[in-house]
Amino acid sequence: MTEIQTDDARRGDSGQLNLASIGTMFVGGRIVETDTVSGSPDGDILSINGNSGHIAAYPMYVRYMVPAGQIKVPVTLIHGGQLSGAIYETTPDGRMGWDEYFVRNGFPVYVPDQVGRARSGYDASVIHKVKLGELPPTELANFTAWAQETAWPLFRFGPRLGDPFPDTKFPVEAVDNLSRSLVIGGPLPSPDPNFAALAGLADKLDGTVLLGHSESSSYPVEAALLNPDKVKAIVTIEGCGLELTPQQFATIRHIPILTLWGDHVPDVPIMGMLDSQVYMDMGEAFIINAKKAGLNATFLPLPTIGMRGNSHMVMCDTNNLDVADVIIDWIEANVKP
Amino acid sequence: MTEIQTDDARRGDSGQLNLASIGTMFVGGRIVETDTVSGSPDGDILSINGNSGHIAAYPMYVRYMVPAGQIKVPVTLIHGGQLSGAIYETTPDGRMGWDEYFVRNGFPVYVPDQVGRARSGYDASVIHKVKLGELPPTELANFTAWAQETAWPLFRFGPRLGDPFPDTKFPVEAVDNLSRSLVIGGPLPSPDPNFAALAGLADKLDGTVLLGHSESSSYPVEAALLNPDKVKAIVTIEGCGLELTPQQFATIRHIPILTLWGDHVPDVPIMGMLDSQVYMDMGEAFIINAKKAGLNATFLPLPTIGMRGNSHMVMCDTNNLDVADVIIDWIEANVKP
């Protein structure tokens, strides 16, 4: 991991893609009875049971591809805030995403939509209760859609919209397509059902590498605490500043951890409550503490291996497959088959 | 089309899947300035532009697969109400969905999420305005989640939840997975942006068969009225009772149309405003009028060709690939390459 991978032959991105299987599964999603299937006291116009009925609470949609031929350890790619699994598919400027690239490198790939978002669905009970007058409007969630003015510096394309860092690796000409890929996500109950859903997915797969990004960067650790035997490795991109107890570290002591960060962390304005440098420092502290607890843990800002200009959205950057190679090399060196 | 296809050899579902390409695109989604990026007057906690900023209005997410080798006309599979494109992927009981089956039969396949839903995102402006006190709670949409009590008879698995028709083809043991695949969808501006998005997709593909289901059964016709040269054929499943003017029929006169219906239409209770028999009669009237206007139009209730027990969710039924064969045979007989 001391030099950048530039093995184009490994990419195979000009040839056909041969899959053993492709498909969709849902994990989690308990069937529960609700009394707010709609925002009308009589229920939906099609309802035959008034405003009550059985629905699935907090399922997780997962799309998968398994490559033909000999396969490696399954890899699960979890998206970050305001995004869906689409961010791991084609990049905003139309290049190959990480999902296909990992498959082309022999890994079965699983791409969920976070619970409560996109194809995983959303529990509209609070919206319906406000419509029914049972809750005040202030109880509605903030379904923020990140404006380009916010996303540009937050994702560290440059200091302000339209002003990229000269060496940015984000394809800034495609920023409108990034906006098209943003989705709303609302609040979830505690504990976050994503943790149990991912732990359940790891069970179904009989072991998987979990990779989280930004908002979801801590999810692999949370899932591993629930199901330590089936999480084979943890990759966190730009985040995971969790503070674990010694006992928690002991639970996941056998699981290798890699934390990656891009470039330009000190070069953007502090965004409201979010100072990227503070988050990066918390991420480094997590890895330092993990090492002290005896874990195989690595903190890797990409500039330290000569990769400059990467944004917060490394899976979209023009060198996204180089970054994937760093992760693949680390998996192959650190994860037992 | 006078006998059921049972050519298992054509399925090829036991072998590997060879793709020329797989990926994601967004169609539509104009970049606009909004003043309600959040439900807080100061904007999102990360906002650097208050509550204003540029977002993408009404994009459409489209996932595609192109088979390796010689390819046929592209087919676009549009999902129905409360659903996402996931319904065309794996069936609720874990069998091959129509997306993969059409690909295995040589068709490039495009699966959108309807605008305003799932991976296409949702415009939360109204929710934010209610939270801000700018609109009353009654303006909130009804984000109905169909309860199993409603879905079971509505989708004609049987007369009531837990009571299937003896010959039903829906895999009723997997009804919980169907619930897991339901997502919320809110109201859209008029004209429905799905029509222009699909017309734009047809342009990008330089021609496609458009297949709609239930809520989206009329979308192919609406898109064809906007882009008649690039819609190669229209398949509507369980719906499309549009009343077109003579001029509108003339615009799409060259486009072949197939309308399919399942079984047991008269055997379920009337659901609120929805009487399936009325909708089926409207669908038949559309085809009768299309024929009078000189179109190549076919109305095909599956029982008339000996296929019994199909539900509203034919793409999930245990004979879903037999139904796909009916559609494929019709495309090959009626669509010019």
Side-chain angles (χ1 to χ4, degrees):
Chain A
M1 209 151 51
T2 51
E3 58 180 7
I4 302 168
Q5 290 290 327
T6 53
D7 180 3
D8 286 332
R10 191 162 90 173
R11 306 216 164 158
D13 52 358
S14 53
Q16 72 180 44
L17 178 67
N18 301 325
L19 301 178
S21 64
I22 188 169
T24 293
M25 66 172 85
F26 287 88
V27 290
R30 212 160 44 90
I31 303 301
V32 299
E33 190 160 16
T34 173
D35 58 359
T36 50
V37 297
S38 87
S40 159
D42 302 324
D44 174 44
I45 52 167
L46 303 180
S47 175
I48 57 164
N49 199 31
N51 212 5
S52 299
H54 287 83
I55 62 168
Y58 306 114
M60 172 180 271
Y61 166 89
V62 184
R63 181 74 166 156
Y64 65 85
M65 292 190 275
V66 179
Q70 191 156 5
I71 58 171
K72 301 174 183 171
V73 63
V75 173
T76 300
L77 305 174
I78 315 160
H79 65 81
Q82 314 292 325
L83 297 163
S84 76
I87 203 67
Y88 289 115
E89 297 171 354
T90 303
T91 67
D93 58 334
R95 291 171 295 104
M96 188 190 299
W98 280 6
D99 69 334
E100 180 179 345
Y101 189 64
F102 275 85
V103 169
R104 285 184 179 275
N105 278 278
F107 298 93
V109 170
Y110 295 77
V111 180
D113 284 348
Q114 282 197 36
V115 175
R117 203 176 308 177
R119 288 182 166 183
S120 294
Y122 179 73
D123 175 1
S125 298
V126 169
I127 299 172
H128 291 156
K129 285 182 180 176
V130 171
K131 187 173 171 68
L132 289 162
E134 296 173 13
L135 286 174
T138 49
E139 289 295 310
L140 289 168
N142 232 332
F143 296 97
T144 304
W146 281 334
Q148 294 187 344
E149 288 81 351
T150 297
W152 189 289
L154 180 68
F155 294 165
R156 305 199 313 277
F157 308 155
R160 68 197 68 78
L161 177 60
D163 185 7
F165 295 121
D167 67 349
T168 187
K169 292 289 197 300
F170 186 82
V172 290
E173 75 283 4
V175 69
D176 289 353
N177 267 343
L178 179 67
S179 287
R180 291 181 179 96
S181 73
L182 297 180
V183 302
I184 62 169
L188 292 170
S190 182
D192 186 327
N194 280 295
F195 306 159
L198 291 167
L201 178 62
D203 246 6
K204 278 199 186 191
L205 305 184
D206 195 25
T208 179
V209 176
L210 292 178
L211 181 151
H213 170 237
S214 191
E215 182 189 48
S216 72
S217 59
S218 62
Y219 296 7
V221 176
E222 299 281 7
L225 290 169
L226 297 175
N227 194 359
D229 290 343
K230 300 296 186 186
V231 177
K232 296 299 180 193
I234 289 170
V235 181
T236 81
I237 313 280
E238 297 247 333
C240 192
L242 286 176
E243 294 182 21
L244 298 193
T245 65
Q247 175 145 15
Q248 286 175 315
F249 271 128
T251 301
I252 61 168
R253 193 170 182 282
H254 57 291
I255 305 175
I257 303 180
L258 171 66
T259 294
L260 286 188
W261 277 79
D263 202 352
H264 293 300
V265 172
D267 304 334
V268 290
I270 295 172
M271 308 285 297
M273 286 169 58
L274 192 144
D275 180 341
S276 292
Q277 186 65 59
V278 168
Y279 277 81
M280 186 174 174
D281 293 346
M282 288 166 64
E284 184 168 18
F286 171 75
I287 294 295
I288 289 170
N289 290 332
K291 281 176 167 172
K292 280 186 192 157
L295 278 78
N296 168 5
T298 302
F299 185 72
L300 187 69
L302 292 171
T304 65
I305 52 168
M307 301 178 82
R308 298 274 168 196
N310 276 108
S311 76
H312 183 62
M313 303 300 293
V314 285
M315 70 291 293
C316 302
D317 285 347
T318 53
N319 65 342
N320 66 331
L321 304 187
D322 294 329
V323 178
D325 282 341
V326 171
I327 297 167
I328 289 170
D329 287 346
W330 178 83
I331 291 173
E332 294 188 338
N334 290 279
V335 181
K336 298 184 196 83
Chain B
M1 210 153 51
T2 50
E3 59 180 6
I4 302 168
Q5 288 293 326
T6 53
D7 180 2
D8 286 332
R10 190 162 92 173
R11 308 222 161 152
D13 53 0
S14 52
Q16 72 181 44
L17 177 67
N18 302 324
L19 301 178
S21 65
I22 187 168
T24 292
M25 66 171 85
F26 287 88
V27 290
R30 212 159 44 88
I31 303 300
V32 299
E33 190 161 16
T34 173
D35 59 358
T36 48
V37 298
S38 86
S40 158
D42 303 325
D44 174 43
I45 51 166
L46 303 180
S47 175
I48 57 164
N49 200 30
N51 211 4
S52 298
H54 287 82
I55 62 167
Y58 306 114
M60 172 180 270
Y61 166 90
V62 184
R63 181 74 166 157
Y64 65 85
M65 291 190 276
V66 179
Q70 191 157 5
I71 57 171
K72 302 174 184 171
V73 63
V75 173
T76 300
L77 305 174
I78 316 159
H79 64 81
Q82 315 291 325
L83 296 163
S84 77
I87 203 67
Y88 288 115
E89 297 172 355
T90 304
T91 66
D93 58 335
R95 290 171 295 105
M96 187 189 298
W98 279 6
D99 70 334
E100 180 179 346
Y101 189 65
F102 275 85
V103 169
R104 286 185 178 275
N105 279 278
F107 298 92
V109 169
Y110 295 77
V111 180
D113 284 347
Q114 281 197 36
V115 174
R117 203 176 307 176
R119 288 182 166 183
S120 294
Y122 178 72
D123 175 1
S125 298
V126 170
I127 299 172
H128 291 157
K129 285 182 181 176
V130 172
K131 186 173 171 70
L132 288 161
E134 296 173 12
L135 287 174
T138 48
E139 289 297 309
L140 290 167
N142 233 332
F143 296 98
T144 304
W146 281 335
Q148 294 188 343
E149 287 82 350
T150 297
W152 188 289
L154 180 68
F155 294 165
R156 307 200 312 277
F157 307 155
R160 68 196 68 79
L161 178 58
D163 185 8
F165 295 121
D167 68 350
T168 187
K169 292 289 196 300
F170 186 83
V172 290
E173 74 283 5
V175 69
D176 289 353
N177 267 343
L178 179 67
S179 287
R180 291 181 179 97
S181 73
L182 297 181
V183 302
I184 62 170
L188 293 170
S190 182
D192 186 328
N194 280 295
F195 307 158
L198 292 167
L201 178 63
D203 247 5
K204 279 200 186 189
L205 306 184
D206 195 27
T208 179
V209 176
L210 292 178
L211 180 151
H213 170 236
S214 190
E215 181 188 48
S216 73
S217 59
S218 61
Y219 295 8
V221 176
E222 300 279 7
L225 289 169
L226 297 176
N227 194 359
D229 290 344
K230 300 297 186 186
V231 177
K232 297 299 178 193
I234 289 171
V235 181
T236 80
I237 313 281
E238 297 246 335
C240 192
L242 286 176
E243 294 183 20
L244 298 194
T245 65
Q247 176 144 15
Q248 287 175 314
F249 272 127
T251 300
I252 62 169
R253 192 171 181 280
H254 57 290
I255 305 175
I257 303 179
L258 172 66
T259 293
L260 286 187
W261 277 80
D263 201 354
H264 292 300
V265 171
D267 304 334
V268 290
I270 295 172
M271 307 285 297
M273 287 169 57
L274 194 144
D275 181 340
S276 292
Q277 186 65 57
V278 169
Y279 277 81
M280 186 174 175
D281 292 346
M282 289 166 64
E284 184 167 20
F286 171 75
I287 293 294
I288 290 169
N289 291 331
K291 281 176 166 171
K292 280 184 192 157
L295 279 77
N296 168 5
T298 302
F299 185 72
L300 187 69
L302 292 171
T304 64
I305 52 168
M307 301 177 82
R308 298 274 167 196
N310 277 108
S311 76
H312 183 62
M313 303 300 293
V314 283
M315 71 291 292
C316 302
D317 286 347
T318 52
N319 64 343
N320 65 329
L321 303 187
D322 293 329
V323 178
D325 282 341
V326 171
I327 297 167
I328 288 170
D329 287 346
W330 178 84
I331 291 172
E332 294 188 337
N334 290 279
V335 182
K336 297 183 197 85

